[in-house]
Amino acid sequence: MSNNLNYKLDEEELRILETNHEEFKKESKKLYLVSLGCSKNLVDSEVMLGKLKDYTVVNEPKIADVIIINTCGFIGAAKEESLEVIFSMHGMRKKDSLLVVAGCLTQRYKEELQLELKEVDLFTGTGDYDKIDEIIKTKKSRFTPTTYLLNDENRVITGSSSHAFLKLSEGCNQNCSFCAIPNFKGKLHSRTLESVVKEVTNLVKKGFYDFSFISQDSSSYGRDLGKKDGLIELIKLVEKIEGIKSARILYLYPSTTSNKLIKTIIDSKLFHNYFDMPIQHISDKMLKLMKRGAGKQRVIEQLTMMRNSKDSFLRTGFIIGHPQESENEFNELLEFVKEFDFDRVSLFAYSDEEETLAYNMCEKVDENEITKRVELIEEVVKIQHRKSLNSEIGKTIQIVIEGESSEGEFFMGAKKLSWTPEIDGEILVNESDVKVLEVGKSYEVKVKELVGDKLLVTVTKTLF
Ligand code: SF4
């Protein structure tokens, strides 16, 4: 094989490679991985895949030699789902396979789960993702006390050939009343600017051009490194990276999101005016009780600044039914969501989590009442989402083709370039002026109509 970069394999060499690959696939051990929870967990799962390159990743647990479940453990519903997946994987696994459980659920309940879950062979938490190969080889469970934070690992990006999640930090210094995450993920621990920039630069070399920067609290990025405006510094550095075409930041925190940061995002030619800031509530009494660090007036000032920016996209999240939330506070929130145009809203029913401040609060809201309130606000949120999607009709926008759509082979599935994959919705492509549409490529399209909760578009030209 010569070493010039654009060498083309001839048929015989291709055949040998494919045979070798088939041989490798036949001989190599088979791995099935389930990544539950948030995009931060997904990044850790990708680190594990990077460490297990000798395995062939399969999409059938029944044939896997090793099954890994990267669990989520932050609220009741997520914990239930993690346990359900553990039991269902155990039910499907083949004889002599290894069942490995990792992540937040095991980190949070390591003693109990190791005692109770006899179905599981190996346990690890959130401290050893980069040691998963050793854990499997030695068949020893492991719980390193510090939370793992990737630095230079060669992870396997999943789900896209153009987009990657970039983790900025682990842990959190906030003290939200309802949240157990700081208990098992620890204090804020940021990557260095160099480490983040290096990873983005290396991923751009591999063809990725669209990035979502994530953490528990992104607007506090770098504060543990003595940087008050760490995220602003990072934005400035990332903007200089050649080949990066699209970027957004998720998980801004109200009390650490300055007007200067919002303005930096608005002025950026690279970062979309995409603002993801979970505010959790809007009543001053509840925001204080939840220890969110910013009141109603400040939050509305931030949201208005964000909304007034060009092509702005606002995503937020609310917790419904926190202790001491009276009908008045709930109605205040409901009216606010009716009036303020959010593009996407995530709703969480309050989950009573031990070792949180809210757990010891009095005047807990009755479960049925919480369900009733969630249903009420869900109706309003559905109208908001539709309004946001309808506002795209007739526009010319940029999309990225992601593959076959969830509606089947008659449509290609895509996302708006500024959207985060998976969570902001799917766009259906059924007509194109461009002959061949390629997965991972970006195109300009005309938005024709809204079908259910999906936009239908016609491709007009190739962008990149
Ligand atoms: S910002 Fe609040 S909700 Fe988010 S991880 Fe930190 S403590 Fe939990």
Side-chain angles (χ1 to χ4, degrees), residues 172 174-176 178-179 181-182 216 253 292:
C172 183
Q174 307 299 346
N175 189 25
C176 305
F178 49 82
C179 181
I181 293 175
Q216 309 295 353
Y253 190 81
R292 296 291 291 174

Side-chain angles (χ1 to χ4, degrees), residues 370-432:
I370 295 179
T371 308
K372 200 185 87 201
R373 290 179 187 178
V374 170
E375 284 164 4
L376 274 174
I377 201 165
E378 250 166 9
E379 287 314 307
V380 176
V381 164
K382 273 193 206 135
I383 296 167
Q384 293 279 9
H385 284 181
R386 253 194 109 65
K387 192 174 167 193
S388 167
L389 289 168
N390 268 319
S391 72
E392 302 282 2
I393 296 176
K395 282 187 187 167
T396 297
I397 63 171
Q398 289 181 286
I399 65 162
V400 180
I401 298 277
E402 294 184 310
E404 188 180 302
S405 81
S406 62
E407 302 289 333
E409 61 184 327
F410 298 107
F411 301 97
M412 289 198 91
K415 76 171 182 86
K416 193 176 174 182
L417 181 64
S418 59
W419 289 357
T420 306
E422 307 264 336
I423 60 171
D424 290 330
E426 183 183 23
I427 290 177
L428 303 177
V429 179
N430 74 333
E431 278 175 20
S432 173

Side-chain angles (χ1 to χ4, degrees), residues 220-255:
S220 293
Y221 168 69
R223 291 191 175 206
D224 56 312
L225 305 174
K227 297 178 182 297
K228 185 168 173 303
D229 290 322
L231 197 52
I232 293 176
E233 276 187 61
L234 181 75
I235 290 170
K236 303 267 177 220
L237 288 172
V238 170
E239 284 172 332
K240 294 192 186 111
I241 300 174
E242 253 186 70
I244 183 171
K245 301 266 197 303
S246 163
R248 67 200 63 70
I249 294 161
L250 282 75
Y251 304 102
L252 295 174
Y253 190 81
S255 68

